[in-house]
Each structure stands twice: as structure tokens, then as C-alpha cells.
Amino acid sequence: MAFYSKKVMEHFMNPKNVGEIKNADGIGKVGNPICGDMMVFYIKVKDNKIENVKFKTFGCGAAIAVSSIVSEMVVGKTLEEAINLKNDDVVKALDGLPKNKIHCSNLGADALHKAIENYKNKLLNNTEEK
Ligand code: FES
């Protein structure tokens, strides 16, 4: 485990925001084509800002650390700021990941972006129905 940064280990051993949001405004699910692991993000949105985030990760330690730090990075951010979060930003925030674990970092921002898309689509559908 020595190849993981202290930050990765902290988030892996004590992940933040694990769980599910009932009546989430947006849900994003992604699967990693390389290893088959999965991640689900739930978001609550208020006044165009991410008010709450929860996640469930069925994956490796790096994927758990990635989910945890992504959830911390985007609470209180506007949807635009959250959409601009890149996989590279996540890796940097974790003080790096081993080369063979970089693919795990892709899940975090992707799942979050999907949850935001899901929220925007719901909003659009609601507007169209009225
Ligand atoms: Fe599957 Fe890391 S090995 S997400």
C-alpha cells in the first residue's frame, strides 16, 4: 500500500459522504470498462448549487478515495463549477495515484457529471410538461 499517498489512504480508510440520497435530484451511474467496477452518485441541488452529495462505490480502494474526495470537492459548488471538475483535478487533490490506478479516477468525475445531466434532464422534462 506504500504506493498510495497519505490523502488516498485517509479517504479510503474513512470515506466521506458514503450512502444514498432518497429523492435525489440527480443520479449518475458509471461502470469502469477496464475492471468492471461501478460507482453511483446522488446529488441534491438548491439554487443551482450542489447542496448534498452521496455515493456508493463497488470498486477498489482508489475508486473509494476518488468518490470521497469528489463528494467533498463539489458540495456548495455551482453546477457549472461541478461540471468543470476534471479527472486530473481529482488525481491532483489526492496527491496523485499510481499509474495503474489512474483509470479508477475516471469514475468519480464521470459519475458526478452524469448525476448533473440527470438533474438537468429532469428539469427540462418538467418544464416541457407544464
Ligand atoms: Fe476498478 Fe479501481 S480497479 S475502479
Side-chain angles (χ1 to χ4, degrees), residues 14-115:
N14 188 20
K16 307 289 185 304
N17 302 310
V18 176
E20 192 179 326
I21 300 176
K22 301 270 178 228
N23 305 318
D25 294 322
I27 300 176
K29 269 186 216 169
V30 290
N32 192 323
I34 296 174
C35 63
D37 290 347
M38 270 188 58
M39 191 182 285
V40 189
F41 262 76
Y42 304 85
I43 57 168
K44 236 6 198 176
V45 180
K46 194 177 176 193
D47 300 332
N48 198 47
K49 285 189 177 168
I50 298 192
E51 191 183 39
N52 194 10
V53 183
K54 295 271 185 219
F55 73 86
K56 284 187 183 167
T57 294
F58 309 93
C60 69
I64 291 169
V66 162
S67 322
S68 172
I69 203 150
V70 165
S71 71
E72 278 197 329
M73 288 168 90
V74 299
V75 171
K77 294 276 191 294
T78 64
L79 294 179
E80 291 71 29
E81 287 168 333
I83 279 282
N84 282 327
L85 182 77
K86 305 274 183 298
N87 295 324
D88 281 357
D89 301 326
V90 178
V91 175
K92 272 188 207 137
L94 285 170
D95 295 334
L97 277 171
K99 240 194 199 149
N100 63 343
K101 287 284 173 184
I102 290 290
H103 72 271
C104 314
S105 71
N106 297 341
L107 290 183
D110 289 355
L112 174 78
H113 295 162
K114 277 205 169 180

